Amino acid sequence: MTTAIRPPLGAPSREEDAMSTCFAIARRNGSENLPLEDARRVGAMRRLAVARLKYCGLQRMSDDVAVIVSELLTNAILHSGGTQITFGMTVRGGFLRISVRDGRPGNPAVRDGRPGNPEICPANGDAETGRGLYLVASLADAHHGTWGISEAGATIWCSLPL
C-alpha cells in the first residue's frame, strides 16, 4: 500500500489538503462475498478518512463521509474485477472531493429497491446488497453536493461543499 499526503504535517488547513492511497485487492472469482483482507482495507480507509477530516477541522462530516468511503470502496472491490484500488480525498475550493479509482471501465447502476424511477434500477426488495450508490447519491444530495462516474467509468467520485 502506498500513501501520499500533502501538505506536510503541520498546522491543519481547510483551504487545501490532499491525500491519496493505492492498495492491492484480491482478484474476485465472481462470488458476492467481500474477501476478509479487502473488508479490512475498507475499514482502514474509512478510519484514515475520518482521521484526515479531524486533522482538517471537518469532523462534523465524519459520519456521512465514512459511509460514502465505505460504499465507494466496497463497490469498487466487488465489481471492478481488478487488483488495485486508488482512494483519494481532497479539500480544495470549498469542497471535499472523495474519489475511488479501480482502473477498470464500466457503468455502475444505482439501485434503491423502489420501482418507477427510470434513472434508477430497482434492487430486489429482499436483496442485502445493491444500494450503495443510491446511498452515496442520497448523502451527496443531502449535503447539496454532487457525485459521478468518470467518462471511462474507472473512477467514481463524490464532491461535498464545506
Side-chain angles (χ1 to χ4, degrees), residues 12-50:
S13 169
R14 286 183 56 179
E15 296 306 313
E16 185 156 339
D17 185 83
M19 67 161 211
S20 177
T21 186
C22 184
F23 56 92
I25 58 171
R27 183 171 299 282
R28 295 184 26 81
N29 61 7
S31 72
E32 286 303 311
N33 295 327
L34 189 66
L36 182 58
E37 186 61 30
D38 291 342
R40 288 182 179 141
R41 293 254 194 241
V42 171
M45 295 302 105
R46 185 176 52 243
R47 289 186 297 277
L48 178 63
V50 167

PDB file of all heavy atoms in Angstrom, residues 12-50:
ATOM      1  N   PRO A  12      -3.144  22.348  10.512  1.00  0.00           N
ATOM      2  CA  PRO A  12      -4.190  21.908   9.599  1.00  0.00           C
ATOM      3  C   PRO A  12      -4.663  23.048   8.703  1.00  0.00           C
ATOM      4  O   PRO A  12      -4.712  24.193   9.108  1.00  0.00           O
ATOM      5  CB  PRO A  12      -5.324  21.466  10.525  1.00  0.00           C
ATOM      6  CG  PRO A  12      -4.728  21.335  11.877  1.00  0.00           C
ATOM      7  CD  PRO A  12      -3.517  22.201  11.908  1.00  0.00           C
ATOM      8  N   SER A  13      -4.994  22.697   7.477  1.00  0.00           N
ATOM      9  CA  SER A  13      -5.502  23.679   6.533  1.00  0.00           C
ATOM     10  C   SER A  13      -6.792  23.172   5.920  1.00  0.00           C
ATOM     11  O   SER A  13      -6.818  22.091   5.361  1.00  0.00           O
ATOM     12  CB  SER A  13      -4.478  23.910   5.420  1.00  0.00           C
ATOM     13  OG  SER A  13      -5.075  24.652   4.379  1.00  0.00           O
ATOM     14  N   ARG A  14      -7.858  23.964   6.053  1.00  0.00           N
ATOM     15  CA  ARG A  14      -9.110  23.610   5.408  1.00  0.00           C
ATOM     16  C   ARG A  14      -9.128  24.095   3.978  1.00  0.00           C
ATOM     17  O   ARG A  14      -9.991  23.724   3.213  1.00  0.00           O
ATOM     18  CB  ARG A  14     -10.298  24.223   6.157  1.00  0.00           C
ATOM     19  CG  ARG A  14     -10.594  23.536   7.454  1.00  0.00           C
ATOM     20  CD  ARG A  14     -11.798  24.106   8.106  1.00  0.00           C
ATOM     21  NE  ARG A  14     -12.946  24.041   7.204  1.00  0.00           N
ATOM     22  CZ  ARG A  14     -14.147  24.453   7.525  1.00  0.00           C
ATOM     23  NH1 ARG A  14     -14.383  24.964   8.696  1.00  0.00           N
ATOM     24  NH2 ARG A  14     -15.144  24.376   6.660  1.00  0.00           N
ATOM     25  N   GLU A  15      -8.185  24.913   3.604  1.00  0.00           N
ATOM     26  CA  GLU A  15      -8.202  25.501   2.270  1.00  0.00           C
ATOM     27  C   GLU A  15      -7.684  24.552   1.197  1.00  0.00           C
ATOM     28  O   GLU A  15      -8.188  24.524   0.099  1.00  0.00           O
ATOM     29  CB  GLU A  15      -7.389  26.804   2.260  1.00  0.00           C
ATOM     30  CG  GLU A  15      -7.987  27.869   3.140  1.00  0.00           C
ATOM     31  CD  GLU A  15      -9.456  28.143   2.823  1.00  0.00           C
ATOM     32  OE1 GLU A  15      -9.806  28.293   1.639  1.00  0.00           O
ATOM     33  OE2 GLU A  15     -10.255  28.195   3.766  1.00  0.00           O
ATOM     34  N   GLU A  16      -6.653  23.792   1.509  1.00  0.00           N
ATOM     35  CA  GLU A  16      -6.130  22.855   0.528  1.00  0.00           C
ATOM     36  C   GLU A  16      -5.429  21.717   1.252  1.00  0.00           C
ATOM     37  O   GLU A  16      -4.453  21.917   1.959  1.00  0.00           O
ATOM     38  CB  GLU A  16      -5.179  23.539  -0.443  1.00  0.00           C
ATOM     39  CG  GLU A  16      -4.747  22.603  -1.522  1.00  0.00           C
ATOM     40  CD  GLU A  16      -4.302  23.310  -2.786  1.00  0.00           C
ATOM     41  OE1 GLU A  16      -4.665  24.464  -2.993  1.00  0.00           O
ATOM     42  OE2 GLU A  16      -3.584  22.669  -3.554  1.00  0.00           O
ATOM     43  N   ASP A  17      -5.952  20.538   1.055  1.00  0.00           N
ATOM     44  CA  ASP A  17      -5.401  19.351   1.684  1.00  0.00           C
ATOM     45  C   ASP A  17      -5.716  18.179   0.771  1.00  0.00           C
ATOM     46  O   ASP A  17      -6.814  18.095   0.233  1.00  0.00           O
ATOM     47  CB  ASP A  17      -6.034  19.130   3.063  1.00  0.00           C
ATOM     48  CG  ASP A  17      -5.389  17.975   3.786  1.00  0.00           C
ATOM     49  OD1 ASP A  17      -4.334  18.189   4.399  1.00  0.00           O
ATOM     50  OD2 ASP A  17      -5.925  16.861   3.722  1.00  0.00           O
ATOM     51  N   ALA A  18      -4.757  17.298   0.552  1.00  0.00           N
ATOM     52  CA  ALA A  18      -4.984  16.154  -0.317  1.00  0.00           C
ATOM     53  C   ALA A  18      -4.292  14.926   0.223  1.00  0.00           C
ATOM     54  O   ALA A  18      -3.225  15.018   0.834  1.00  0.00           O
ATOM     55  CB  ALA A  18      -4.491  16.455  -1.728  1.00  0.00           C
ATOM     56  N   MET A  19      -4.922  13.786   0.030  1.00  0.00           N
ATOM     57  CA  MET A  19      -4.285  12.516   0.352  1.00  0.00           C
ATOM     58  C   MET A  19      -4.731  11.506  -0.687  1.00  0.00           C
ATOM     59  O   MET A  19      -5.812  11.614  -1.262  1.00  0.00           O
ATOM     60  CB  MET A  19      -4.636  12.034   1.748  1.00  0.00           C
ATOM     61  CG  MET A  19      -6.064  11.644   1.939  1.00  0.00           C
ATOM     62  SD  MET A  19      -6.245  10.612   3.385  1.00  0.00           S
ATOM     63  CE  MET A  19      -7.625   9.649   2.818  1.00  0.00           C
ATOM     64  N   SER A  20      -3.864  10.555  -0.932  1.00  0.00           N
ATOM     65  CA  SER A  20      -4.166   9.504  -1.884  1.00  0.00           C
ATOM     66  C   SER A  20      -3.478   8.240  -1.416  1.00  0.00           C
ATOM     67  O   SER A  20      -2.348   8.299  -0.926  1.00  0.00           O
ATOM     68  CB  SER A  20      -3.659   9.902  -3.271  1.00  0.00           C
ATOM     69  OG  SER A  20      -3.891   8.863  -4.186  1.00  0.00           O
ATOM     70  N   THR A  21      -4.148   7.118  -1.542  1.00  0.00           N
ATOM     71  CA  THR A  21      -3.539   5.850  -1.185  1.00  0.00           C
ATOM     72  C   THR A  21      -3.957   4.798  -2.201  1.00  0.00           C
ATOM     73  O   THR A  21      -5.079   4.796  -2.685  1.00  0.00           O
ATOM     74  CB  THR A  21      -3.891   5.429   0.258  1.00  0.00           C
ATOM     75  OG1 THR A  21      -3.160   4.260   0.597  1.00  0.00           O
ATOM     76  CG2 THR A  21      -5.366   5.183   0.435  1.00  0.00           C
ATOM     77  N   CYS A  22      -3.025   3.942  -2.536  1.00  0.00           N
ATOM     78  CA  CYS A  22      -3.255   2.897  -3.519  1.00  0.00           C
ATOM     79  C   CYS A  22      -2.977   1.564  -2.832  1.00  0.00           C
ATOM     80  O   CYS A  22      -1.980   1.430  -2.115  1.00  0.00           O
ATOM     81  CB  CYS A  22      -2.302   3.109  -4.696  1.00  0.00           C
ATOM     82  SG  CYS A  22      -2.554   1.961  -6.023  1.00  0.00           S
ATOM     83  N   PHE A  23      -3.867   0.588  -3.025  1.00  0.00           N
ATOM     84  CA  PHE A  23      -3.654  -0.704  -2.384  1.00  0.00           C
ATOM     85  C   PHE A  23      -4.153  -1.835  -3.272  1.00  0.00           C
ATOM     86  O   PHE A  23      -5.027  -1.643  -4.122  1.00  0.00           O
ATOM     87  CB  PHE A  23      -4.314  -0.760  -0.997  1.00  0.00           C
ATOM     88  CG  PHE A  23      -5.785  -0.464  -1.001  1.00  0.00           C
ATOM     89  CD1 PHE A  23      -6.727  -1.478  -1.116  1.00  0.00           C
ATOM     90  CD2 PHE A  23      -6.242   0.841  -0.862  1.00  0.00           C
ATOM     91  CE1 PHE A  23      -8.077  -1.205  -1.116  1.00  0.00           C
ATOM     92  CE2 PHE A  23      -7.592   1.133  -0.850  1.00  0.00           C
ATOM     93  CZ  PHE A  23      -8.515   0.099  -0.978  1.00  0.00           C
ATOM     94  N   ALA A  24      -3.560  -3.002  -3.057  1.00  0.00           N
ATOM     95  CA  ALA A  24      -3.924  -4.191  -3.822  1.00  0.00           C
ATOM     96  C   ALA A  24      -5.182  -4.825  -3.220  1.00  0.00           C
ATOM     97  O   ALA A  24      -5.411  -4.744  -2.007  1.00  0.00           O
ATOM     98  CB  ALA A  24      -2.777  -5.197  -3.798  1.00  0.00           C
ATOM     99  N   ILE A  25      -5.979  -5.421  -4.093  1.00  0.00           N
ATOM    100  CA  ILE A  25      -7.142  -6.182  -3.644  1.00  0.00           C
ATOM    101  C   ILE A  25      -7.077  -7.567  -4.279  1.00  0.00           C
ATOM    102  O   ILE A  25      -6.386  -7.772  -5.281  1.00  0.00           O
ATOM    103  CB  ILE A  25      -8.475  -5.494  -4.006  1.00  0.00           C
ATOM    104  CG1 ILE A  25      -8.605  -5.275  -5.519  1.00  0.00           C
ATOM    105  CG2 ILE A  25      -8.609  -4.178  -3.249  1.00  0.00           C
ATOM    106  CD1 ILE A  25      -9.978  -4.790  -5.969  1.00  0.00           C
ATOM    107  N   ALA A  26      -7.798  -8.501  -3.686  1.00  0.00           N
ATOM    108  CA  ALA A  26      -7.825  -9.865  -4.207  1.00  0.00           C
ATOM    109  C   ALA A  26      -8.617  -9.905  -5.514  1.00  0.00           C
ATOM    110  O   ALA A  26      -9.635  -9.230  -5.643  1.00  0.00           O
ATOM    111  CB  ALA A  26      -8.472 -10.800  -3.184  1.00  0.00           C
ATOM    112  N   ARG A  27      -8.130 -10.687  -6.463  1.00  0.00           N
ATOM    113  CA  ARG A  27      -8.903 -10.885  -7.690  1.00  0.00           C
ATOM    114  C   ARG A  27     -10.101 -11.742  -7.317  1.00  0.00           C
ATOM    115  O   ARG A  27      -9.975 -12.771  -6.689  1.00  0.00           O
ATOM    116  CB  ARG A  27      -8.080 -11.582  -8.758  1.00  0.00           C
ATOM    117  CG  ARG A  27      -8.869 -11.722 -10.054  1.00  0.00           C
ATOM    118  CD  ARG A  27      -8.042 -12.220 -11.211  1.00  0.00           C
ATOM    119  NE  ARG A  27      -6.924 -11.397 -11.598  1.00  0.00           N
ATOM    120  CZ  ARG A  27      -7.008 -10.272 -12.312  1.00  0.00           C
ATOM    121  NH1 ARG A  27      -8.172  -9.804 -12.681  1.00  0.00           N
ATOM    122  NH2 ARG A  27      -5.920  -9.611 -12.645  1.00  0.00           N
ATOM    123  N   ARG A  28     -11.267 -11.253  -7.679  1.00  0.00           N
ATOM    124  CA  ARG A  28     -12.500 -11.952  -7.306  1.00  0.00           C
ATOM    125  C   ARG A  28     -12.876 -12.971  -8.360  1.00  0.00           C
ATOM    126  O   ARG A  28     -12.662 -12.771  -9.539  1.00  0.00           O
ATOM    127  CB  ARG A  28     -13.613 -10.941  -7.120  1.00  0.00           C
ATOM    128  CG  ARG A  28     -13.317 -10.016  -5.937  1.00  0.00           C
ATOM    129  CD  ARG A  28     -14.405  -9.045  -5.624  1.00  0.00           C
ATOM    130  NE  ARG A  28     -15.740  -9.412  -6.007  1.00  0.00           N
ATOM    131  CZ  ARG A  28     -16.546 -10.227  -5.316  1.00  0.00           C
ATOM    132  NH1 ARG A  28     -16.129 -10.755  -4.204  1.00  0.00           N
ATOM    133  NH2 ARG A  28     -17.758 -10.500  -5.742  1.00  0.00           N
ATOM    134  N   ASN A  29     -13.523 -14.029  -7.880  1.00  0.00           N
ATOM    135  CA  ASN A  29     -13.947 -15.083  -8.795  1.00  0.00           C
ATOM    136  C   ASN A  29     -15.437 -14.998  -9.109  1.00  0.00           C
ATOM    137  O   ASN A  29     -16.019 -15.946  -9.609  1.00  0.00           O
ATOM    138  CB  ASN A  29     -13.621 -16.452  -8.195  1.00  0.00           C
ATOM    139  CG  ASN A  29     -14.351 -16.683  -6.881  1.00  0.00           C
ATOM    140  OD1 ASN A  29     -15.194 -15.880  -6.487  1.00  0.00           O
ATOM    141  ND2 ASN A  29     -14.044 -17.777  -6.204  1.00  0.00           N
ATOM    142  N   GLY A  30     -16.065 -13.878  -8.799  1.00  0.00           N
ATOM    143  CA  GLY A  30     -17.481 -13.701  -9.106  1.00  0.00           C
ATOM    144  C   GLY A  30     -18.406 -13.938  -7.929  1.00  0.00           C
ATOM    145  O   GLY A  30     -19.588 -13.666  -8.018  1.00  0.00           O
ATOM    146  N   SER A  31     -17.887 -14.434  -6.823  1.00  0.00           N
ATOM    147  CA  SER A  31     -18.751 -14.626  -5.654  1.00  0.00           C
ATOM    148  C   SER A  31     -19.113 -13.266  -5.070  1.00  0.00           C
ATOM    149  O   SER A  31     -18.437 -12.280  -5.299  1.00  0.00           O
ATOM    150  CB  SER A  31     -18.062 -15.489  -4.598  1.00  0.00           C
ATOM    151  OG  SER A  31     -17.026 -14.757  -3.989  1.00  0.00           O
ATOM    152  N   GLU A  32     -20.172 -13.206  -4.315  1.00  0.00           N
ATOM    153  CA  GLU A  32     -20.630 -11.937  -3.757  1.00  0.00           C
ATOM    154  C   GLU A  32     -19.966 -11.588  -2.425  1.00  0.00           C
ATOM    155  O   GLU A  32     -20.171 -10.516  -1.912  1.00  0.00           O
ATOM    156  CB  GLU A  32     -22.160 -11.955  -3.579  1.00  0.00           C
ATOM    157  CG  GLU A  32     -22.894 -11.829  -4.889  1.00  0.00           C
ATOM    158  CD  GLU A  32     -22.518 -10.569  -5.660  1.00  0.00           C
ATOM    159  OE1 GLU A  32     -22.513  -9.469  -5.063  1.00  0.00           O
ATOM    160  OE2 GLU A  32     -22.219 -10.689  -6.850  1.00  0.00           O
ATOM    161  N   ASN A  33     -19.185 -12.474  -1.859  1.00  0.00           N
ATOM    162  CA  ASN A  33     -18.565 -12.193  -0.569  1.00  0.00           C
ATOM    163  C   ASN A  33     -17.329 -11.329  -0.729  1.00  0.00           C
ATOM    164  O   ASN A  33     -16.525 -11.545  -1.631  1.00  0.00           O
ATOM    165  CB  ASN A  33     -18.180 -13.500   0.137  1.00  0.00           C
ATOM    166  CG  ASN A  33     -19.393 -14.311   0.495  1.00  0.00           C
ATOM    167  OD1 ASN A  33     -20.447 -13.764   0.790  1.00  0.00           O
ATOM    168  ND2 ASN A  33     -19.262 -15.626   0.454  1.00  0.00           N
ATOM    169  N   LEU A  34     -17.202 -10.360   0.147  1.00  0.00           N
ATOM    170  CA  LEU A  34     -16.030  -9.497   0.177  1.00  0.00           C
ATOM    171  C   LEU A  34     -14.922 -10.236   0.915  1.00  0.00           C
ATOM    172  O   LEU A  34     -15.108 -10.639   2.068  1.00  0.00           O
ATOM    173  CB  LEU A  34     -16.378  -8.188   0.908  1.00  0.00           C
ATOM    174  CG  LEU A  34     -15.371  -7.067   0.879  1.00  0.00           C
ATOM    175  CD1 LEU A  34     -15.201  -6.547  -0.537  1.00  0.00           C
ATOM    176  CD2 LEU A  34     -15.819  -5.938   1.784  1.00  0.00           C
ATOM    177  N   PRO A  35     -13.781 -10.464   0.281  1.00  0.00           N
ATOM    178  CA  PRO A  35     -12.684 -11.143   0.980  1.00  0.00           C
ATOM    179  C   PRO A  35     -12.316 -10.402   2.264  1.00  0.00           C
ATOM    180  O   PRO A  35     -12.336  -9.165   2.304  1.00  0.00           O
ATOM    181  CB  PRO A  35     -11.534 -11.101  -0.034  1.00  0.00           C
ATOM    182  CG  PRO A  35     -12.208 -10.959  -1.363  1.00  0.00           C
ATOM    183  CD  PRO A  35     -13.429 -10.126  -1.098  1.00  0.00           C
ATOM    184  N   LEU A  36     -11.988 -11.147   3.306  1.00  0.00           N
ATOM    185  CA  LEU A  36     -11.710 -10.576   4.629  1.00  0.00           C
ATOM    186  C   LEU A  36     -10.633  -9.494   4.573  1.00  0.00           C
ATOM    187  O   LEU A  36     -10.795  -8.425   5.166  1.00  0.00           O
ATOM    188  CB  LEU A  36     -11.316 -11.676   5.613  1.00  0.00           C
ATOM    189  CG  LEU A  36     -11.049 -11.232   7.043  1.00  0.00           C
ATOM    190  CD1 LEU A  36     -12.271 -10.539   7.634  1.00  0.00           C
ATOM    191  CD2 LEU A  36     -10.641 -12.420   7.892  1.00  0.00           C
ATOM    192  N   GLU A  37      -9.547  -9.741   3.868  1.00  0.00           N
ATOM    193  CA  GLU A  37      -8.464  -8.750   3.803  1.00  0.00           C
ATOM    194  C   GLU A  37      -8.953  -7.462   3.133  1.00  0.00           C
ATOM    195  O   GLU A  37      -8.604  -6.364   3.550  1.00  0.00           O
ATOM    196  CB  GLU A  37      -7.246  -9.315   3.052  1.00  0.00           C
ATOM    197  CG  GLU A  37      -6.053  -8.403   3.069  1.00  0.00           C
ATOM    198  CD  GLU A  37      -5.524  -8.101   4.474  1.00  0.00           C
ATOM    199  OE1 GLU A  37      -5.651  -8.934   5.378  1.00  0.00           O
ATOM    200  OE2 GLU A  37      -4.980  -6.990   4.659  1.00  0.00           O
ATOM    201  N   ASP A  38      -9.788  -7.596   2.125  1.00  0.00           N
ATOM    202  CA  ASP A  38     -10.325  -6.413   1.451  1.00  0.00           C
ATOM    203  C   ASP A  38     -11.309  -5.676   2.350  1.00  0.00           C
ATOM    204  O   ASP A  38     -11.340  -4.448   2.368  1.00  0.00           O
ATOM    205  CB  ASP A  38     -10.989  -6.794   0.129  1.00  0.00           C
ATOM    206  CG  ASP A  38      -9.971  -7.266  -0.899  1.00  0.00           C
ATOM    207  OD1 ASP A  38      -8.765  -6.985  -0.729  1.00  0.00           O
ATOM    208  OD2 ASP A  38     -10.385  -7.924  -1.870  1.00  0.00           O
ATOM    209  N   ALA A  39     -12.092  -6.406   3.117  1.00  0.00           N
ATOM    210  CA  ALA A  39     -13.010  -5.771   4.074  1.00  0.00           C
ATOM    211  C   ALA A  39     -12.215  -4.981   5.114  1.00  0.00           C
ATOM    212  O   ALA A  39     -12.616  -3.881   5.503  1.00  0.00           O
ATOM    213  CB  ALA A  39     -13.883  -6.824   4.746  1.00  0.00           C
ATOM    214  N   ARG A  40     -11.086  -5.533   5.531  1.00  0.00           N
ATOM    215  CA  ARG A  40     -10.227  -4.813   6.479  1.00  0.00           C
ATOM    216  C   ARG A  40      -9.659  -3.537   5.858  1.00  0.00           C
ATOM    217  O   ARG A  40      -9.542  -2.519   6.529  1.00  0.00           O
ATOM    218  CB  ARG A  40      -9.095  -5.719   6.950  1.00  0.00           C
ATOM    219  CG  ARG A  40      -9.561  -6.793   7.889  1.00  0.00           C
ATOM    220  CD  ARG A  40      -8.406  -7.628   8.378  1.00  0.00           C
ATOM    221  NE  ARG A  40      -8.875  -8.640   9.301  1.00  0.00           N
ATOM    222  CZ  ARG A  40      -8.420  -9.883   9.349  1.00  0.00           C
ATOM    223  NH1 ARG A  40      -7.435 -10.252   8.547  1.00  0.00           N
ATOM    224  NH2 ARG A  40      -8.921 -10.738  10.211  1.00  0.00           N
ATOM    225  N   ARG A  41      -9.329  -3.586   4.582  1.00  0.00           N
ATOM    226  CA  ARG A  41      -8.828  -2.394   3.896  1.00  0.00           C
ATOM    227  C   ARG A  41      -9.904  -1.309   3.853  1.00  0.00           C
ATOM    228  O   ARG A  41      -9.609  -0.136   4.025  1.00  0.00           O
ATOM    229  CB  ARG A  41      -8.406  -2.725   2.464  1.00  0.00           C
ATOM    230  CG  ARG A  41      -7.218  -3.610   2.387  1.00  0.00           C
ATOM    231  CD  ARG A  41      -6.029  -2.793   1.956  1.00  0.00           C
ATOM    232  NE  ARG A  41      -4.964  -3.696   1.560  1.00  0.00           N
ATOM    233  CZ  ARG A  41      -3.797  -3.733   2.139  1.00  0.00           C
ATOM    234  NH1 ARG A  41      -3.523  -2.920   3.133  1.00  0.00           N
ATOM    235  NH2 ARG A  41      -2.875  -4.567   1.742  1.00  0.00           N
ATOM    236  N   VAL A  42     -11.144  -1.702   3.606  1.00  0.00           N
ATOM    237  CA  VAL A  42     -12.241  -0.734   3.598  1.00  0.00           C
ATOM    238  C   VAL A  42     -12.320  -0.048   4.960  1.00  0.00           C
ATOM    239  O   VAL A  42     -12.416   1.175   5.050  1.00  0.00           O
ATOM    240  CB  VAL A  42     -13.589  -1.392   3.225  1.00  0.00           C
ATOM    241  CG1 VAL A  42     -14.748  -0.424   3.434  1.00  0.00           C
ATOM    242  CG2 VAL A  42     -13.564  -1.882   1.782  1.00  0.00           C
ATOM    243  N   GLY A  43     -12.266  -0.825   6.031  1.00  0.00           N
ATOM    244  CA  GLY A  43     -12.296  -0.256   7.382  1.00  0.00           C
ATOM    245  C   GLY A  43     -11.125   0.668   7.639  1.00  0.00           C
ATOM    246  O   GLY A  43     -11.274   1.747   8.227  1.00  0.00           O
ATOM    247  N   ALA A  44      -9.936   0.277   7.185  1.00  0.00           N
ATOM    248  CA  ALA A  44      -8.748   1.105   7.384  1.00  0.00           C
ATOM    249  C   ALA A  44      -8.871   2.430   6.617  1.00  0.00           C
ATOM    250  O   ALA A  44      -8.531   3.491   7.143  1.00  0.00           O
ATOM    251  CB  ALA A  44      -7.497   0.348   6.944  1.00  0.00           C
ATOM    252  N   MET A  45      -9.386   2.379   5.401  1.00  0.00           N
ATOM    253  CA  MET A  45      -9.545   3.602   4.601  1.00  0.00           C
ATOM    254  C   MET A  45     -10.621   4.509   5.206  1.00  0.00           C
ATOM    255  O   MET A  45     -10.494   5.728   5.192  1.00  0.00           O
ATOM    256  CB  MET A  45      -9.890   3.282   3.148  1.00  0.00           C
ATOM    257  CG  MET A  45      -8.806   2.553   2.381  1.00  0.00           C
ATOM    258  SD  MET A  45      -7.226   3.447   2.336  1.00  0.00           S
ATOM    259  CE  MET A  45      -6.280   2.489   3.520  1.00  0.00           C
ATOM    260  N   ARG A  46     -11.663   3.911   5.751  1.00  0.00           N
ATOM    261  CA  ARG A  46     -12.707   4.695   6.429  1.00  0.00           C
ATOM    262  C   ARG A  46     -12.112   5.419   7.635  1.00  0.00           C
ATOM    263  O   ARG A  46     -12.333   6.620   7.824  1.00  0.00           O
ATOM    264  CB  ARG A  46     -13.838   3.755   6.847  1.00  0.00           C
ATOM    265  CG  ARG A  46     -15.029   4.441   7.439  1.00  0.00           C
ATOM    266  CD  ARG A  46     -16.160   3.464   7.749  1.00  0.00           C
ATOM    267  NE  ARG A  46     -15.721   2.343   8.549  1.00  0.00           N
ATOM    268  CZ  ARG A  46     -15.752   1.062   8.149  1.00  0.00           C
ATOM    269  NH1 ARG A  46     -16.202   0.742   6.964  1.00  0.00           N
ATOM    270  NH2 ARG A  46     -15.335   0.109   8.946  1.00  0.00           N
ATOM    271  N   ARG A  47     -11.305   4.719   8.426  1.00  0.00           N
ATOM    272  CA  ARG A  47     -10.659   5.349   9.590  1.00  0.00           C
ATOM    273  C   ARG A  47      -9.664   6.429   9.163  1.00  0.00           C
ATOM    274  O   ARG A  47      -9.569   7.477   9.791  1.00  0.00           O
ATOM    275  CB  ARG A  47      -9.990   4.285  10.462  1.00  0.00           C
ATOM    276  CG  ARG A  47     -10.990   3.408  11.205  1.00  0.00           C
ATOM    277  CD  ARG A  47     -10.317   2.443  12.172  1.00  0.00           C
ATOM    278  NE  ARG A  47      -9.448   1.485  11.522  1.00  0.00           N
ATOM    279  CZ  ARG A  47      -9.858   0.346  10.952  1.00  0.00           C
ATOM    280  NH1 ARG A  47     -11.141   0.039  10.935  1.00  0.00           N
ATOM    281  NH2 ARG A  47      -8.997  -0.481  10.394  1.00  0.00           N
ATOM    282  N   LEU A  48      -8.932   6.178   8.073  1.00  0.00           N
ATOM    283  CA  LEU A  48      -7.999   7.176   7.545  1.00  0.00           C
ATOM    284  C   LEU A  48      -8.749   8.437   7.115  1.00  0.00           C
ATOM    285  O   LEU A  48      -8.323   9.553   7.419  1.00  0.00           O
ATOM    286  CB  LEU A  48      -7.224   6.591   6.360  1.00  0.00           C
ATOM    287  CG  LEU A  48      -6.231   7.513   5.659  1.00  0.00           C
ATOM    288  CD1 LEU A  48      -5.107   7.930   6.602  1.00  0.00           C
ATOM    289  CD2 LEU A  48      -5.673   6.827   4.418  1.00  0.00           C
ATOM    290  N   ALA A  49      -9.882   8.263   6.445  1.00  0.00           N
ATOM    291  CA  ALA A  49     -10.679   9.415   6.001  1.00  0.00           C
ATOM    292  C   ALA A  49     -11.176  10.225   7.191  1.00  0.00           C
ATOM    293  O   ALA A  49     -11.099  11.460   7.197  1.00  0.00           O
ATOM    294  CB  ALA A  49     -11.857   8.945   5.143  1.00  0.00           C
ATOM    295  N   VAL A  50     -11.678   9.548   8.208  1.00  0.00           N
ATOM    296  CA  VAL A  50     -12.194  10.231   9.397  1.00  0.00           C
ATOM    297  C   VAL A  50     -11.054  10.971  10.113  1.00  0.00           C
ATOM    298  O   VAL A  50     -11.220  12.114  10.550  1.00  0.00           O
ATOM    299  CB  VAL A  50     -12.914   9.240  10.334  1.00  0.00           C
ATOM    300  CG1 VAL A  50     -13.184   9.848  11.702  1.00  0.00           C
ATOM    301  CG2 VAL A  50     -14.215   8.762   9.685  1.00  0.00           C
TER     302      VAL A  50
END
